[in-house]
Amino acid sequence: MSRLQQRARIIIGAIAFALAAANLAHASSLGAGTAAFGREDYVTAAVILGPLAERGVAKAQSYLGFMYANGRGVPQSYVEAAIWFCRAAVQDEATAQYMLGLQYDKGQGVSENRIEAHKWLNLAAAHAPRRDREDWARIRDAVGSKMTLAQLAEARRRAIEWRPWRNAGGRIGPVNCGQL
């Protein structure tokens, strides 16, 4: 093995180590943020989860959306909640999809839009945690009962055609949800 190949292996190893350490730190921060949320220490949760959400961590974005929707640790704002829920929802985060669907149904932070509401609720129900699946499907169906058959067909078409947003590198990543 040449000297150049040895250096390349060392550099690649160092990069792999740095990435592993960053992922471990990310997981640790997310755990600390969700633990603070669980203790109802919402200010601390917002301080920890905010930077993770800014970096595109879907679970952190979903928690931050909930905190904005309910004014926990941050000022209450349905508009900010919708932005954070959207950023997480397009990354296939089921809870955020569910919450964004509810916001579209109620017109909270977004224009009322039952087609979009049903689409997001349908996506959420399709891969909801087992404990939530039946309840989320019931809410989706309740929204559907307020729609015409044409609206329902359009909502279902949008849900079927929907794919998680992916950036150029193929990773699921952040999207600009500021224009909801």
Side-chain angles (χ1 to χ4, degrees):
M1 183 179 309
S2 74
R3 201 175 202 105
L4 184 59
Q5 288 174 322
Q6 287 176 336
R7 286 187 180 165
R9 288 183 105 184
I10 291 171
I11 291 170
I12 290 170
I15 291 171
F17 178 76
L19 289 174
N23 284 338
L24 183 60
H26 156 81
S28 172
S29 295
L30 184 60
T34 58
F37 183 92
R39 292 190 310 273
E40 298 183 10
D41 184 357
Y42 299 114
V43 172
T44 300
V47 168
I48 295 170
L49 295 172
L52 291 172
E54 289 288 347
R55 289 198 310 259
V57 177
K59 188 61 82 176
Q61 291 169 335
S62 189
Y63 274 95
L64 203 57
F66 179 87
M67 290 189 292
Y68 272 108
N70 295 285
R72 305 275 170 90
V74 295
Q76 195 278 331
S77 169
Y78 290 128
V79 172
E80 283 296 312
I83 290 169
W84 289 113
F85 285 141
C86 177
R87 289 177 179 175
V90 298
Q91 295 182 74
D92 217 15
E93 210 286 312
T95 300
Q97 291 172 337
Y98 177 76
M99 298 302 291
L100 185 60
L102 292 179
Q103 286 196 273
Y104 272 113
D105 181 51
K106 297 174 185 173
Q108 293 179 330
V110 294
S111 297
E112 184 177 314
N113 184 329
R114 292 221 169 93
I115 293 172
E116 282 297 299
H118 192 279
K119 175 189 88 175
W120 287 115
L121 292 168
N122 200 6
L123 290 166
H127 58 276
R130 184 176 300 227
R131 69 184 181 279
D132 297 325
R133 193 170 300 134
E134 190 175 318
D135 292 335
W136 290 9
R138 192 175 9 264
I139 296 298
R140 176 205 58 208
D141 294 344
V143 170
S145 73
K146 299 183 265 185
M147 300 167 66
T148 67
L149 290 177
Q151 290 172 323
L152 194 55
E154 175 62 16
R156 288 176 177 160
R157 183 192 63 76
R158 290 183 189 183
I160 289 168
E161 292 177 358
W162 183 85
R163 299 290 179 269
W165 182 85
R166 295 183 183 274
N167 65 21
R171 278 189 32 235
I172 293 176
V175 69
N176 181 4
C177 292
Q179 302 297 323
L180 293 176

